[in-house]
Amino acid sequence: MDDLTPGNRPAGPRKPAAGRTGVRGSAAPRVAPRVLRKDLTCSPPHAVFIDICNLCGLRCPCCPTGRRERSFPHRVLTAERFAVLLERVAPFAETLTLHNWGEPFLNPELHEIITLAAGSGRRVHADSNFNFPALDRAAAERLVRSGLRSLHASIDGTSQTAYERYRVGGDLALAMHNLRRLAEARDRLRVPIELAWKFIVHRHNEHELEAAVRSARELGVPILFQLLSTDGDPDWLSSFHDRSDRLPPGAPLEVELAGEMFRIAWQNHVPTSRYLGRRDPALDPARPPRRRSFPVNIVELALDPRLPWCCRHPFETLYVNSDGSVTPCCTAWGTNMTVGNLLEQPFEEVWNGPAMRACRGYLLDPFSGHQGRSVCETQPCEFRDMAFGRR
């Protein structure tokens, strides 16, 4: 997500030394533009998500992990297995994100994993709910020195009442303590880690946005805002959701808070908006032609505008679960959605294998009658169903 906060962003950290994986600590090679070919194979992605733990102590109601759904085996990725995955993605990855469906700080080998990832020379990022044990000075300093390039604290409120409405089971005071400790350690040690407060906006916390901005200023961290993806439940829709329903794609959703202008990321709300009949179809761009000239530059690839933002992921981003299985996108949940396993198969066999290519074929033209050859077509997908008016 874009840094939505005015002001300067911290500089990147020094390049770390090589880790024990044998991957050299050099920058990912710059190559020709990424393309989609006629046979539906794609250039390797620059962004890789590896879910190092798909467990979480909170019970966020719009998250399958929070709802305790068990469509995936609950596992913690060991540093040894992470090293295997790293060897396979390091030749092309520019960024490594250490979460998707779980809380990375529940992995007891987190620091070793960060060391391995940073040692490869890649930019390493993580999001966390910051409800891990209270950091003391030494623990905070160890974390900011770990090699993480960026760390976002998911804290959605400034009062316990508003915060726990979504972060069920969370402790706001604990999360704020850990954020403060890390900000202090960052400043004390002058470590250029990008530490940010990520605030997910919904009906029950939107009245606290300005207070959050003031708290973030006092802490010395940027704050990022994003609309909650509501799964179609109108009880969570805020006034900012209402405003976004009237915006064309790409238009900024801006709000003045405590004397500054901020942008709220909102594209993840579009499928819900369409499903609930809140969005004028005229706001959508024209559908792309069914015939394309290949190869297609991925940056210029146009999909049916009714498809949700996550339907670009099979072309752009690799998502690896804690058991090594790969799914087409960040929202795919369950073993029935897997397209391969990167602990068991070579990268090319997964990324450009029959299952992933079938997903791309369906997404390029979702109305041509593919007859169920891809998991994107045959398996339950709430975002797809909302986007096309079915549920």
Side-chain angles (χ1 to χ4, degrees):
M1 183 174 64
D2 293 336
D3 187 340
L4 310 179
T5 306
N8 296 325
R9 296 183 65 171
R14 295 184 300 273
K15 184 170 68 178
R20 67 170 175 81
T21 63
V23 178
R24 293 185 180 274
S26 59
R30 294 287 181 177
V31 295
R34 299 187 58 254
V35 297
L36 170 68
R37 306 174 190 91
K38 188 174 184 178
D39 63 358
L40 302 180
T41 59
C42 264
S43 304
H46 294 162
V48 175
F49 284 66
I50 300 178
D51 201 1
I52 65 172
C53 174
N54 67 355
L55 304 169
C56 185
L58 306 190
R59 292 180 174 269
C60 303
C62 294
C63 172
T65 306
R67 296 193 296 258
R68 299 301 188 260
E69 296 178 9
R70 297 188 62 86
S71 299
F72 271 124
H74 287 174
R75 290 186 182 173
V76 174
L77 184 67
T78 66
E80 181 179 6
R81 287 182 166 233
F82 178 84
V84 174
L85 296 173
L86 182 60
E87 288 280 2
R88 294 185 176 173
V89 303
F92 53 83
E94 294 183 2
T95 62
L96 290 171
T97 299
L98 304 181
H99 73 273
N100 187 27
W101 287 115
E103 168 52 56
F105 281 78
L106 291 179
N107 190 317
E109 298 183 41
L110 173 67
H111 282 279
E112 186 175 357
I113 287 172
I114 294 173
T115 298
L116 292 170
S120 73
R122 309 302 173 253
R123 178 185 174 91
V124 186
H125 170 77
D127 280 14
S128 168
N129 58 43
F130 273 45
N131 272 251
F132 43 79
L135 295 172
D136 58 19
R137 179 181 176 121
E141 291 184 353
R142 182 187 182 201
L143 185 55
V144 299
R145 284 172 164 159
S146 65
L148 278 174
R149 285 284 298 274
S150 54
L151 177 61
H152 292 175
S154 297
I155 303 175
D156 316 321
T158 58
S159 69
Q160 180 65 26
T161 299
Y163 169 78
E164 68 180 355
R165 185 64 184 259
Y166 186 72
R167 303 286 171 181
V168 178
D171 184 336
L172 175 63
L174 174 60
M176 293 299 295
H177 165 87
N178 286 330
L179 180 56
R180 184 180 300 276
R181 282 285 194 180
L182 289 171
E184 292 169 349
R186 175 204 61 190
D187 296 343
R188 184 168 57 249
L189 300 175
R190 298 182 180 274
V191 176
I193 182 175
E194 180 187 312
L195 187 63
W197 178 342
K198 183 178 178 181
F199 192 113
I200 305 299
V201 181
H202 53 76
R203 172 179 292 179
H204 308 290
N205 67 6
E206 64 175 306
H207 62 286
E208 296 190 347
L209 268 63
E210 188 152 355
V213 168
R214 297 185 187 279
S215 294
R217 283 181 188 162
E218 186 268 328
L219 288 171
V221 298
I223 188 165
L224 316 173
F225 296 105
Q226 178 179 320
L227 293 186
L228 175 66
S229 183
T230 65
D231 291 348
D233 185 348
D235 182 55
W236 295 100
L237 300 178
S238 69
S239 64
F240 297 104
H241 290 80
D242 292 341
R243 285 177 54 187
S244 76
D245 292 341
R246 298 182 289 276
L247 293 175
L253 174 57
E254 296 182 320
V255 58
E256 183 175 352
L257 300 168
E260 294 185 63
M261 295 303 297
F262 291 84
R263 288 188 175 185
I264 301 177
W266 61 274
Q267 287 292 345
N268 59 313
H269 169 59
V270 170
T272 305
S273 174
R274 288 199 191 97
Y275 168 70
L276 295 176
R278 296 159 55 96
R279 187 168 180 80
D280 183 352
L283 290 171
D284 288 336
R287 298 175 195 173
R290 294 183 64 177
R291 292 185 178 274
R292 290 178 168 86
S293 298
F294 291 94
V296 180
N297 189 317
I298 297 297
V299 174
E300 300 170 357
L301 176 65
L303 300 179
D304 189 299
R306 289 168 295 179
L307 290 172
W309 88 103
C310 49
C311 288
R312 295 192 64 87
H313 291 168
F315 306 90
E316 297 179 338
T317 309
L318 178 68
Y319 285 90
V320 187
N321 301 300
S322 55
D323 61 352
S325 62
V326 174
T327 50
C329 72
C330 68
T331 67
W333 172 260
T335 55
N336 58 320
M337 293 292 291
T338 60
V339 294
N341 191 300
L342 209 55
L343 287 173
E344 301 170 357
Q345 299 167 267
F347 165 76
E348 187 67 18
E349 188 176 306
V350 177
W351 179 247
N352 282 323
M356 188 70 94
R357 287 188 286 114
C359 291
R360 294 176 189 138
Y362 169 71
L363 296 171
L364 286 176
D365 186 7
F367 292 105
S368 64
H370 291 264
Q371 299 179 347
R373 291 193 292 268
S374 80
V375 297
C376 289
E377 182 182 6
T378 63
Q379 298 303 315
C381 174
E382 192 145 6
F383 281 101
R384 179 202 62 213
D385 292 347
M386 287 191 292
F388 290 105
R390 301 184 304 274
R391 195 169 161 84

